[in-house]
Amino acid sequence: ITFPNFVTVTEIGRTTEDRPIKAVRFHQEGGRSDKKTILIDASIHAREWITPATITYMMREIVDNPQKYDCIMNQFDWLFVPVLNPDGYVYTHSHNRMWRKTRSQTESI
């Protein structure tokens, strides 16, 4: 990680097909300890390919221009989940472009 004092990448779970679901936390050290967290996730629906790029752009903007975002970084921690549905996302690239759901198997009731 290029910004170890500011950015933390963690695995928040695993998918049905055993892919990691990763979250990127932005936390300004030395700030208030009672800050609330803003969660921004993307690629919930597998075929929404633009959303991971949008979140990546947002994260890069904050990292490249920290002085511009000090006012919000002092008030909030940020948690970004660029690809919440990695199984479906991969499936849309390899099998069915219009697939929208996860790849988990559900039982019929």
Side-chain angles (χ1 to χ4, degrees):
I1 297 175
T2 307
F3 304 92
N5 297 328
F6 180 50
V7 178
T8 307
V9 178
T10 57
E11 186 176 306
I12 59 171
R14 299 203 65 88
T15 67
T16 300
E17 296 177 353
D18 203 35
R19 289 186 177 86
I21 301 172
K22 296 198 176 183
V24 182
R25 181 175 180 241
F26 283 51
H27 175 75
Q28 194 172 50
E29 294 296 327
R32 297 177 17 212
S33 61
D34 63 340
K35 292 193 282 187
K36 296 187 181 205
T37 300
I38 295 174
L39 170 66
I40 300 177
D41 56 25
S43 194
I44 297 168
H45 298 131
R47 65 182 178 216
E48 294 174 350
W49 291 358
I50 193 65
T51 58
T54 303
I55 279 191
T56 303
Y57 172 81
M58 292 169 67
M59 291 188 296
R60 186 64 191 225
E61 179 66 17
I62 292 170
V63 168
D64 284 347
N65 301 294
Q67 70 287 350
K68 185 176 178 180
Y69 299 101
D70 266 349
C71 58
I72 58 173
M73 293 306 296
N74 288 332
Q75 292 183 327
F76 302 101
D77 285 341
W78 294 77
L79 190 63
F80 295 94
V81 183
V83 182
L84 192 57
N85 178 8
D87 292 345
Y89 187 75
V90 168
Y91 192 76
T92 63
H93 286 277
S94 61
H95 291 86
N96 180 354
R97 170 64 183 100
M98 297 309 290
W99 185 261
R100 186 166 190 235
K101 301 176 183 181
T102 68
R103 298 296 300 152
S104 63
Q105 302 296 316
T106 57
E107 292 183 33
S108 300
I109 297 176

